[in-house]
Amino acid sequence: MNSPCYPVAMDVGVCQLRSFSISFLSSVLGAESSTAVSVENSSSGASVVAIDNKIEQAMDLVKSHLMFAVREEVEVLKEQIKELMERNSQLEQENSLLKNLASPEQLAQFQAQVQTGSPTAGAPPEGPGPTA
């Protein structure tokens, strides 16, 4: 009837809830021990065991639903991480290409804008630009 408590986050909460429920039922039923309920400590021991089993079943159900929700969320987050890593790789390749195509003057101008915090978008290029 008494199952060990495990130091896993969800199991700790379930174990604490179970311990509280057993302690509460013990005090309500007038059992001698507040940490364990047994048939010998109460005249209605069978009903206490039945209640304890129902509580344990309910907590197991809650735990399984929570674990399912967590697994589902982990899968969604894994997919988002995968997409972000792909996007990051694309941007790194684009950045590398643009650095290779930029003239030293353009790179120097960009570095100056980055250091001063000037906006780079929409700023007219200085010096001669490409002619079409």
Side-chain angles (χ1 to χ4, degrees):
M1 183 166 70
N2 286 338
S3 60
C5 293
Y6 298 100
V8 176
M10 190 175 300
D11 289 343
V12 170
V14 170
C15 186
Q16 288 173 346
L17 179 60
R18 182 176 184 277
S19 295
F20 170 77
S21 299
I22 291 171
S23 298
F24 177 75
L25 287 172
S26 296
S27 65
V28 168
L29 295 173
E32 295 174 8
S33 171
S34 65
T35 58
V37 175
S38 67
V39 175
E40 293 81 30
N41 289 345
S42 173
S43 61
S44 59
S47 66
V48 171
V49 171
I51 291 170
D52 184 45
N53 287 337
K54 295 251 186 217
I55 291 169
E56 198 165 335
Q57 288 173 356
M59 288 188 294
D60 286 343
L61 182 63
V62 168
K63 180 179 175 182
S64 66
H65 282 291
L66 285 173
M67 291 302 292
F68 177 77
V70 167
R71 285 188 192 107
E72 196 172 83
E73 186 67 20
V74 165
E75 290 302 317
V76 168
L77 292 173
K78 282 182 180 179
E79 185 63 33
Q80 287 178 346
I81 288 169
K82 179 182 170 190
E83 291 170 2
L84 289 171
M85 289 177 73
E86 289 172 0
R87 178 72 176 136
N88 187 43
S89 178
Q90 287 176 329
L91 291 173
E92 285 176 347
Q93 290 175 356
E94 182 180 329
N95 187 30
S96 177
L97 177 65
L98 290 173
K99 281 183 180 179
N100 289 335
L101 295 176
S103 68
E105 296 83 22
Q106 289 171 324
L107 288 175
Q109 178 187 1
F110 177 73
Q111 286 295 339
Q113 288 175 339
V114 168
Q115 289 174 354
T116 61
S118 301
T120 57
E126 293 181 19
T131 56

